[in-house]
Amino acid sequence: ALDFLKAKSSLIGLIILDWHMPVVDGADFLREFVKHPEWSHIKVIMSTSFGSDERKAYIRQVFPNLAGYIVKPYQTEVMLQTVKQIINAQP
């Protein structure tokens, strides 16, 4: 995903990122993501099965500009509403 971003970041406006992924987890991905100011236009939604306040606070420390945090399992409508809000809020 990071290699793809390096090549195609101008084409991406929103990332839906799972916390638990093979090789690089969502938090590690965001640690690398924030090192690239040229990606600041890209909004990120974190999707995870862990909804504790501690986890939410932790990921916001890693990436303060997190656009959304959705706890699985989620209803499709919740995901769609979150994405719509983010898209409609973009300048």
Side-chain angles (χ1 to χ4, degrees):
L2 291 167
D3 290 338
F4 185 83
L5 274 174
K6 290 174 185 172
K8 306 282 186 179
S9 65
S10 65
L11 302 175
I12 300 170
L14 176 65
I15 295 172
I16 300 173
L17 180 66
D18 198 304
W19 195 306
H20 295 284
M21 299 183 298
V23 183
V24 175
D25 71 15
D28 289 338
F29 176 91
L30 288 175
R31 282 188 195 88
E32 184 63 29
F33 185 89
V34 299
K35 295 177 184 177
H36 298 270
E38 68 274 19
W39 299 345
S40 64
H41 69 282
I42 301 172
K43 304 297 181 194
V44 179
I45 297 172
M46 177 66 77
S47 173
T48 181
S49 56
F50 300 98
S52 71
D53 290 339
E54 293 82 17
R55 295 279 287 208
K56 290 176 186 177
Y58 171 74
I59 205 61
R60 290 202 184 273
Q61 287 177 345
V62 172
F63 187 63
N65 294 328
L66 190 67
Y69 190 96
I70 298 178
V71 179
K72 299 183 287 185
Y74 51 81
Q75 298 292 323
T76 302
E77 188 57 38
V78 171
M79 178 62 83
L80 291 174
Q81 185 62 31
T82 302
V83 170
K84 286 178 187 176
Q85 288 174 345
I86 292 166
I87 289 171
N88 291 335
Q90 296 212 12

